[in-house]
Amino acid sequence: MTPLAEWRSRLERLAGDAELARVAPGLSVGVAFASPSDRVAFAIRDGRIAPPGDAAAVTVEATDADWARTLADPAPPGFHAFTAWELANDAFAVAGDPQIRATARAALERVVEVALATAPLAAPAIGRDVSRIAGRLFDLPVGADRAEIHCDIVAEPGAEGPPIVFLHTAGADGRQFRAQLADPDLAARHPLYAPDLPFHGRSMPPAGWDGGPYRLTGATYLDWCTAILDGIVGRPAIVVGGSMGAAMALVLAAERPERLRGAVALEPPFRSAGRRSEWQDHVAVHAGLHNAAFVRGLMSPQSPEAARRDAAWIYAQGGPGVYRGDLAFYSEEFDGAAVGPRIDTARVPVALLSGRYDYSATPADGARLAAAIPGARHIVMEGLGHFPMIENPAALKPHLTAALDHVTAADEERP
């Protein structure tokens, strides 16, 4: 049996799939997966797998050997998701009109996800008590403007460690860190803060916004985070940032070291060019469906499906243009080669955590950053992707604990 013959069989798993029906209403697109020895053609029509039509609008070509790699359990990084095939793996030639591919992205990601059906990564269960989380709004000066910033806070009696501020990823909000805020072990040691940046989640745009296109700059982002550290936390903190937030954690370590007790960068980029796409903010493409699928491929197939769905759901709710606007900082401005050498880890201890399945901020990127930041600790997290805090918080916990232990121990040794 050829690998694509096995794919042909696995497409039957999509019969009656509820999520495919949700993400593909009204969609009609022909698809073909091809190798030198075989070809699988099918259509996605109104949320269901159907017989192929006359021609495939989206085609994916690879060798038999590479199609076989997709069928491993788990599939190797880069072989595990449609968008990974398209953007990060030269073994696959993905063709078709870019707008059609963008329109069909959510359905195509779901097809691959269900067909592969990877076994979840085993991890011990962690405590979860969301009742301890309190949300508050803060009216803060941000640069020359003001903004009402929402922040989830956990402040338990006896939590005497340094406060931790969690910075969310591009296009998302502080809900990504709900599992960490709800973890009794973490809350017993540290006051915890998870803000939504202006334009994100439960924070509104700044008061002076003129309604124009949103594009995040490093200077604006630094102003926002400085305002949060000064106006909400009120004392030096450990900043734990994810992706875009990881980049800013490093910028803060370089630019505002007096406000930090340490920096933990989850999925830090080195220089993650090419992440912006016109289809992330285009009137012809449903941004909620597209952007949720665009990030779904960054997650590990070994993370629990329900948790991956939660992570993507936040992206389905973002404001128009916000995800793409954030990526102006993350993908076009941030440069680890410039920021890293300016960090003094004797003053701000640094830990870097890289998920094996992350093709936006790869383990190799983390290693390059570690080399540029003498004294930084780099941890590669097997079986995790770009959103470990929400896609698999149980598997993240030992890595995050090790990172926090590193920065707190180094912080305590400072003169």
Side-chain angles (χ1 to χ4, degrees):
M1 176 184 288
T2 68
L4 285 179
E6 175 63 20
W7 265 93
R8 188 178 292 110
S9 174
R10 292 193 182 193
L11 289 175
E12 296 176 3
R13 298 176 179 177
L14 286 140
D17 184 70
E19 186 164 351
L20 184 61
R22 177 180 64 82
V23 301
L27 180 68
S28 181
V29 61
V31 183
F33 296 163
S35 75
S37 66
D38 203 352
R39 179 181 175 90
V40 175
F42 60 97
I44 306 170
R45 293 198 182 96
D46 200 24
R48 298 185 301 275
I49 299 297
D54 295 334
V58 178
T59 62
V60 184
E61 296 184 0
T63 65
D64 287 315
D66 286 323
W67 281 117
R69 296 182 75 185
T70 69
L71 299 171
D73 188 1
F79 290 81
H80 66 288
F82 172 78
T83 303
W85 300 349
E86 183 184 33
L87 301 182
N89 192 336
D90 291 339
F92 295 87
V94 180
D97 181 271
Q99 182 174 325
I100 293 175
R101 298 205 311 262
T103 302
R105 183 174 307 282
L108 292 165
E109 279 292 347
R110 183 60 181 166
V111 165
V112 175
E113 187 173 62
V114 173
L116 298 190
T118 303
L121 184 69
I126 60 175
R128 186 179 179 94
D129 180 5
V130 296
S131 68
R132 68 183 64 242
I133 303 172
R136 288 187 57 192
L137 279 171
F138 296 82
D139 184 1
L140 301 178
V142 286
D145 208 342
R146 299 194 70 84
E148 292 181 352
I149 294 177
H150 183 279
C151 188
D152 281 333
I153 302 173
V154 177
E156 296 289 290
E160 297 179 352
I164 296 176
V165 177
F166 296 100
L167 297 180
H168 58 73
T169 66
D173 58 64
R175 289 176 295 170
Q176 287 181 319
F177 291 96
R178 185 171 291 172
Q180 288 71 47
L181 268 65
D183 183 345
D185 293 338
L186 197 57
R189 296 193 297 272
H190 302 273
L192 307 174
Y193 301 82
D196 299 344
L197 295 178
F199 293 94
H200 300 73
R202 296 147 293 184
S203 295
M204 298 298 285
W209 180 50
D210 64 1
Y214 169 80
R215 183 183 177 93
L216 183 63
T217 67
T220 296
Y221 194 2
L222 185 62
D223 280 346
W224 288 349
C225 291
T226 302
I228 289 165
L229 289 166
D230 291 352
I232 299 178
V233 184
R235 58 190 172 113
I238 297 171
V239 174
V240 177
S243 184
M244 177 181 84
M248 180 46 59
L250 299 178
V251 171
L252 284 163
E255 297 282 347
R256 303 286 189 270
E258 72 282 359
R259 288 175 169 86
L260 268 61
R261 298 282 295 274
V264 176
L266 289 173
E267 313 306 327
F270 188 80
R271 185 154 181 81
S272 191
R275 290 298 299 159
R276 294 187 89 211
S277 164
E278 66 177 307
W279 308 113
Q280 292 158 348
D281 179 32
H282 194 290
V283 296
V285 174
H286 190 310
L289 292 174
H290 176 274
N291 294 348
F294 196 80
V295 300
R296 190 90 162 234
L298 286 166
M299 299 181 219
S300 168
Q302 294 180 273
S303 293
E305 183 179 37
R308 283 180 277 146
R309 192 175 287 127
D310 284 348
W313 186 253
I314 294 174
Y315 277 84
Q317 299 177 320
V322 170
Y323 179 40
R324 187 166 187 254
D326 281 344
L327 292 176
F329 165 74
Y330 173 80
S331 187
E332 297 179 357
E333 182 177 347
F334 178 77
D335 185 352
V339 174
R342 292 166 45 219
I343 298 173
D344 179 3
T345 55
R347 190 172 184 187
V348 181
V350 172
L352 313 169
L353 285 78
S354 302
R356 182 66 71 186
Y357 278 91
D358 187 354
Y359 55 82
S360 173
T362 65
D365 291 334
R368 292 177 71 189
L369 274 171
I373 310 172
R377 181 179 181 187
H378 181 219
I379 299 170
V380 176
M381 302 180 293
E382 299 296 336
L384 290 175
H386 191 69
F387 305 93
M389 72 292 275
I390 184 170
E391 69 174 82
N392 200 335
L396 169 65
K397 183 171 179 175
H399 303 300
L400 180 59
T401 300
L404 290 171
D405 287 347
H406 170 76
V407 299
T408 54
D411 176 64
E412 290 168 357
E413 292 175 1
R414 292 190 303 175

